[in-house]
Amino acid sequence: MSNPVFEATDVTKVFPGVLALDKVGLSLSPGSIHALLGENGAGKSTLIKIMTGVHRPDGGLMSLDGKPFSPHTPRDAISSGVGVVHQERNLIPQFSIAENIFLERLSTTPFKKIDYPNLYAEAQKWLDLLEIDARPETQVDKLNVARMQLVEIAKALSLDTRILLLDEPTASLTQHETETLFGILNRLRQDGASLVFVSHKLEEVQEICDRVTVLRDGHNACESRSLTGLDRQDIVRLMIGRSEQIPQWSQRDNSGHNVALDVQNVATQDGHRNISFQLRKGEVLGLYGLVGSGRTELAKALIGAGKVTSGDILINGEKASISSVADALHNYSIGYVSEDRKGEGLILIHSILENAGITVWKRLMNAIGLVTDGKVESAVDPVLKKLEVRTPSLRQIVGNLSGGNQQKVSVAKWLAANVKILIVDEPTVGVDIKTKAYVHELIRELSDAGTSILLITSDMPEMVTVADLILVMDEFELRGEIVNDRNYDAVSERIMHHIHGSTEEAAE
Amino acid sequence: ADSSTRVALVPGGPHPYFAAWELAGKDAAKDFGLGAADYKVPQKWELSLQNQMLESLVTQGYNAFLVFPGDPVGTVAIADELAATGAPVMALAGCLKDPSQAVFCMGTDTGNSAYLGTQELLKVLPKGAKIAHFTGFLVDPNTQLRIDAVEKAASEGGAEVVQVIADIDAPEPAEEKINAYLAAHADDVDGIITTAWVPAVVASNALRKIGDKRIKMVGIDHDEVVLGAIKDGYVHGTMLQNPYGQGYLGSYAADRLRSGCTVKDDAPFKSIALTDKFIDSGTVFAGADAVDNYVSSMQNITKEIFDGFEDTYLNCG
Amino acid sequence: MKREFLKQDWFGPFIVTLLAIVIVGALKPSFLSPFNIQILLLAISVNALVAFSQMVIIAIGQMNLSVGAIGGLAAISFAGMMEIWGLPWPLAAVLSLGIGLFAGLTNGLLCAYTGISAFVITLATLSVFKGINLGITEAQPFYDVPEVVKWLGNATMVGPIPWLVVPFALSAIALWYLLFRLPLGRSVLAVGGNTHAAELSGISVPWIVVFAHSVSGLLAALAGIMLVARLQLGQPSIGDDWLILSFAAPIIGGAILTGGRVSVGGTCCGVAIVAIITQVLVLFNIDPFLVQVVLGGLILWAVSVNRIREVREQRKAAAGAS
Amino acid sequence: MSQIENENKTGSSAIPKQGRRFDPIQRFLLSNEFGLIVLIVVFAIIFSTVSPMFLSKFSLYALGRTSAVNIMIGFSMMIVIVTGGLNLAVGAIGVCAAMAGGWLMQAVGLHWLPALMGGLAIGGLLGAVNGVLIVRSGLHSFVITLATMSIMFGVMIFLTQAESYREISPAFTAFGRMKLWGVIPPMLLVTIGIGILLWVLFVYSSLGRQILAAGASPAAAELSGIHVDRMIVWCHGLSGVLAGVAGFMLVSRTGAAIPSMAGQLGQDWLLPAFLAPVLGGTLLTGGRVSVLGTLLGGFLVTMLTSGLLLMQVGAFWMQTYLGLLLLLAVLLDLARRSYLSRNKLV
Ligand SMILES: Nc1ncnc2c1ncn2[C@@H]1O[C@H](COP(=O)(O)OP(=O)(O)OP(=O)(O)O)[C@@H](O)[C@H]1O
Ligand SMILES: Nc1ncnc2c1ncn2[C@@H]1O[C@H](COP(=O)(O)OP(=O)(O)OP(=O)(O)O)[C@@H](O)[C@H]1O
Ligand SMILES: [Mg+2]
Ligand SMILES: [Mg+2]
């Protein structure tokens, strides 16, 4: 085996109140894709940030090509040949795709005129390679989440570094885009690059990685060992200390239950037409579609954050006119867990307590409008406990939590609200397998207790595990309805048939 | 004279008009053997800052105050508080609105000065002339007095005030508005009266720039630009005030009051719009013939007031 | 292609400017007289530099409260050096620009390396610079401004176009080129757009902050020097009331206070709109007691015209997408 | 496989290992508020050593009275900064409210209490108008309040023709000159009282929490069922009321309602308005507030000014020293914080 390109030994990092990394080691050899795994908050992103000069370690050594390596700034790391896709989005919203991709190089030649035609042409190559359907001069704040993620990846790839660190690059991608990305990563591996790949989707890890490091509570559960000979259950055991329990839920028939939400011929300002469906009490109704098919927009229109232009919405049989989310929450008891936790789901500069309590203040306040932290805490604490949000205290700022724990808080606030109808949009993006199972169980429990749930997810296994009935949406229209008999292959094939069947029709 | 007398001369903010106070205070301290007669400038034209400064001066042991009121009404309260410490307080250069605890006000009758200036202007204009009036901040009640006085003089003299431009105490807007006015209306106007320092300076320059000697202007105060423009014939004349005299006489009076003198009950104070206890420190119109020796004419006025001051206004038992 | 043009940040303010010129010109023909155009251009030239000076800082998502203090300090240094030391005017101008640059540099270094908000830093340095100004002048103007300088401040080049337009036009072009064509300028906007992302992309944020503040200081100093030429004397009170204008013009011109988005053309239009409004108040002989009301009303009008256009654009875009 | 078994046995607890924990006292020692207290104490010691008069009763009284107003102005701005906006019209609204109160007392002849209420209502109304304009137009509060500052002040000047109202109830004026125990101005107590109310609002009330959420992230707040627009209107209205309170404090102190009490267009208030909350740790981008910090920040700045005035530093140079002191203050605080965290003392 060749010498490692990069080696980290005994790396330690302390945040106020948190020992994020405790003597962690990692070594990367050339021509390999190295999986970095662990539960939410295990320290994966922290390690990556230390390797790229965002954080300084409190102890330990790193070496690059055998020489000591201690990047002080992200710039140092880039110039030493370490590229990265961070877990959080890091694009300049007002800039074009092309400029974002080549931002690094802009700063190295400050006084040389930018050759825009050339820049766009170069960027187009990357867009083509990653199959991004957008023009290089498009401003990135006009893109949806998936495309932004792809631009971020293009940006890192274009640096052409020997070491490339990818922190959950596929979290908001669908299978198709993921496959494209894997093709590129495989080629890079053949060219001798060292890659680090972070993901909570173990299928992906097994598909593409050859080595693995697992972190647990900030220390190595295993360090840089070969993936061969490890099956999924082994990896899971390394990560969470026990094996995975895959729930096998029985099929439910809710057809006898009352209709909680009846959507009749709804059209929206965003372009939905003829949307009709029924959500029954205690039912989990799945809404599947490809990225950009208009599911989020529909959900927002239903809760009053978007405009319904025609058609009727009936709640418990009565016609509802929902003017705002507050209206939806307080008068109709509908909630919505946003897919964009950073932008819409959470208030990053506020504490966990403030975030989780936001939906219950009104309910808990006394006659003169006062609410004490104690009351809020007792209302949200059980939910947070149940979701196992990892934090030294409920006063921790949400922005400091690991990605997965943030997601838990974003779900928790709606659980605390005790709504009758809950729309859940991509609830497990970036969530580790253990928590994912919790979230699924939770959805199940809620629905058993009578809550009606509209589940939007691009994660097919999740859909098949959790939903009772699946609606398929494409291009802002509903294409069909499938009864989920929990047979993964059959259901997924039927879903894809609805989507592709319709596109074929459209092409004719 | 009493070497325990510590006079503070406090203008409303940094402004070239008050520069002479510093010298006047020093001269008075020397001539009358005062403990101090110091010129203390608030750093900005803010009422609250001036108040804070005055409070601080009390703490520092000053015991006589010569104050340019940041606002004729707004400064009354602090003047009363100063007077309550036993210190003589005088309004200087501008007046406090009665009633107040100020011993008297010595300065320029702003309204009258504007009135006289307008009359001087009308003397060189044909009957039925059209005049424009450039002045300072509207929030300053003196501005209202000036607008009224100019209006009065004009209607008495058969002239018409065609436009009033106010709120131009800062150089940039003054420059913009005055030039814009002249660009549009230079032909429609025969005379200009300015009743604030900055507009006078800017208007003098503007007239010089367009080289128009047809429009007659009367300015205010002794800025070099205005005086130069008078000499060169672009400006008809200016209404001079007497800041040095105010500072010198004020310091003197403060000392006399502290050493036991009182103001005569029947002192021949003048009555002006703001107060009934007004002493004119001298307002003269200076045309081209007088600009060179305005200093000495002011000194004469100062001397004149000084010579009769104690007899006229004070009881020094 | 046409759509792209309509989407530019400067387009809305530009329409408002045109509209204002047409309306005022129709009601008052003297508005378009050569002399008045000259007056307008003079006002715009200086105010635009003031606005640019703030715009550069808005671009990085900060505020510079000390623009006026720097401009004033440069102005009195310029006049003072000529009067007291008898320096030739070009040398005095260069030295004063240097003072502005140094003042900006100080702001930049303090902001970049202490991490204290620019608001607090520039508020403190505002006080420092203004205090130096008053300490030197004791509130007395410098009067001995050489004839050449006075001439430059008022003379016209061709037709009604004054010479002072030259530094303004050059700065505008240079700034536009910097911000929209050079990597350095793009980095400035990147830092404003998303500081964290810019840093992660290897842009040296402190150095960009220092650079932006230095440019801001330089532009403020240039504006101060030009005002000395225009006013024909070194007034210590120069710059005292730049602050509001310096923000208003870029914002009317489409800049976003959180940074990352500014428009040179839009800012120029913003300055022009403010200048025209100022003139309107004089030209139409507005009752002095109502001037402020009309001023505020016109500002509201200007921004809402632009806003209505934006909303309409968005609607069209939404309608087109569905 | 055996290796995996081994891994299995260590640390399977759900709660992560923790580094140092913050207890409330340590958190306070690191906070902005503590820093301000330290600075106030340090500078007070310096000033009183150089000029013993600093601690005289009169001087302390004057300081308390001036800072009461400055802090109140700071509160008025703070409440809008919390929403991520700003209110350039604080001064204009404050003066309008005070003038309305003056008019009610002098021209209408009302008792001071209803006049005060009327004035504050005008302040609140004008503030709410700002809020509604901002929400309806979708424009940044900077432009809206810039325009309304001009309009409101202009209308006030037009209606009053820049005349002052001097016939203020003596009871009301006496309040501004009253001394409790020889040193404490009752105005300062009013400020502190309102500070406590604001603190309760932000820490214990549902409304305050909603305001903070709306300020920190309007999108997230809206999607969590908060009427963000309503919060913005509320805050501007409240800001107007607080500006009115500051205006009335000045009326009570000067014994008259005068149009120039906040300078041209009310601009004189802008500096204390921003300085107090920003020094106090209120985020300019919204969503985080410190009422105590604003109080201490406003006090610190007033104290620096009055200390410098007492030390009689060169007349025209005073601003320079004030600026340098301010810089020194923030740098000292920075040094304190980095010292504490470098040495892991907290
Ligand atoms: N800036 C910070 N301040 C305080 N604590 C932090 C900070 N960044 C991370 N942490 C803490 O460090 C721990 C490790 O976080 P990290 O982001 O590395 O987790 P992760 O393994 O990437 O998790 P995920 O899978 O959810 O992304 C967490 O407990 C987190 O709360
Ligand atoms: N080709 C495109 N160009 C520009 N905008 C697009 C395009 N396709 C979709 N959009 C916009 O993207 C939004 C829909 O994207 P979004 O990804 O949020 O939908 P979704 O169905 O909720 O998908 P997902 O939940 O998987 O993200 C809509 O506002 C739509 O107008
Ligand atoms: Mg992570
Ligand atoms: Mg979506």
Side-chain angles (χ1 to χ4, degrees), chain A residues 35-36 48 97 121 230 243 313 328 370 377 418 446 508:
Chain A
L36 180 59
I48 283 179
I97 293 179
L230 290 179
S243 45
I313 298 171
L370 300 188
E377 197 169 329
N418 264 330
L446 278 176
E508 276 165 26

Side-chain angles (χ1 to χ4, degrees), chain A residues 212-470:
Chain A
V212 63
T213 292
V214 179
L215 297 180
R216 191 155 86 217
D217 294 343
H219 61 255
N220 282 108
C222 86
E223 187 191 331
S224 311
R225 58 177 286 180
S226 168
L227 251 181
T228 41
L230 290 179
D231 62 13
R232 183 181 169 104
Q233 285 310 321
D234 296 331
I235 300 173
V236 170
R237 228 169 296 144
L238 282 170
M239 280 166 65
I240 65 176
R242 58 174 165 78
S243 45
E244 193 182 16
Q245 290 130 12
I246 298 168
Q248 269 302 329
W249 284 327
S250 58
Q251 221 178 312
R252 291 190 299 197
D253 181 14
N254 304 300
S255 54
H257 295 182
N258 294 339
V259 176
L261 173 71
D262 192 355
V263 177
Q264 300 179 345
N265 273 322
V266 159
T268 70
Q269 206 173 35
D270 299 296
H272 296 88
R273 289 174 301 267
N274 281 329
I275 305 287
S276 301
F277 65 86
Q278 294 185 328
L279 172 63
R280 289 174 189 279
K281 188 162 186 292
E283 178 181 47
V284 180
L285 180 63
L287 180 56
Y288 192 86
L290 297 182
V291 169
S293 55
R295 297 164 299 169
T296 299
E297 281 65 30
L298 178 63
K300 285 194 177 163
L302 291 180
I303 54 152
K307 270 239 164 66
V308 173
T309 48
S310 72
D312 292 330
I313 298 171
L314 278 71
I315 288 167
N316 295 326
E318 279 173 49
K319 228 179 123 173
S321 80
I322 300 171
S323 59
S324 66
V325 183
D327 195 19
L329 168 62
H330 298 296
N331 299 332
Y332 298 103
S333 195
I334 311 181
Y336 168 70
V337 180
S338 172
E339 63 177 343
D340 177 9
R341 65 165 176 262
K342 298 239 159 163
E344 302 176 344
L346 294 171
I347 294 167
L348 295 176
I349 63 169
H350 285 179
S351 69
I352 298 175
L353 193 59
E354 301 288 321
N355 272 281
I358 192 165
T359 52
V360 298
W361 295 331
K362 271 209 175 143
R363 202 177 71 215
L364 297 181
M365 71 186 181
N366 65 10
I368 54 165
L370 300 188
V371 201
T372 57
D373 274 358
K375 264 195 196 170
V376 178
E377 197 169 329
S378 56
V380 300
D381 198 47
V383 183
L384 292 169
K385 282 251 168 60
K386 193 162 196 175
L387 289 173
E388 290 195 13
V389 176
R390 303 192 154 208
T391 169
S393 114
L394 291 187
R395 305 272 179 311
Q396 175 73 279
I397 301 299
V398 163
N400 288 345
L401 294 181
S402 75
N405 280 308
Q406 290 183 359
Q407 184 69 29
K408 294 182 200 170
V409 176
S410 151
V411 175
K413 76 172 178 197
W414 287 106
L415 297 186
N418 264 330
V419 285
K420 299 255 160 47
I421 301 173
L422 185 60
I423 306 179
V424 193
D425 198 353
E426 311 281 9
T428 56
V429 172
V431 168
D432 65 39
I433 46 166
K434 195 162 134 199
T435 315
K436 201 167 175 172
Y438 276 126
V439 171
H440 294 168
E441 255 169 58
L442 229 116
I443 291 177
R444 183 78 177 184
E445 279 172 28
L446 278 176
S447 60
D448 279 339
T451 311
S452 312
I453 292 174
L454 181 64
L455 171 69
I456 302 175
T457 177
S458 307
D459 186 341
M460 188 77 81
E462 174 166 291
M463 187 61 97
V464 177
T465 313
V466 185
D468 298 320
L469 205 64
I470 301 171

Side-chain angles (χ1 to χ4, degrees), chain B residues 172 175-177, chain C residues 17 21 31 36-53 161-169 171-172 219 222-223 226-227 230 245 249 264-279:
Chain B
E172 296 94 339
E175 165 87 6
E176 249 179 275
K177 290 193 177 173
Chain C
T17 314
I21 291 176
F31 175 73
N36 198 47
I37 291 177
Q38 183 195 339
I39 300 299
L40 211 52
L41 286 175
L42 275 174
I44 291 174
S45 302
V46 178
N47 292 349
L49 285 170
V50 174
F52 288 158
S53 160
I161 300 177
W163 274 103
L164 282 192
V165 166
V166 175
F168 152 60
S171 318
L219 290 168
L222 184 56
M226 282 163 65
L227 258 178
R230 208 179 102 198
L245 171 91
V264 174
T267 302
C268 293
C269 291
V271 170
I273 292 169
V274 174
I276 293 171
I277 292 178
T278 309
Q279 283 220 339

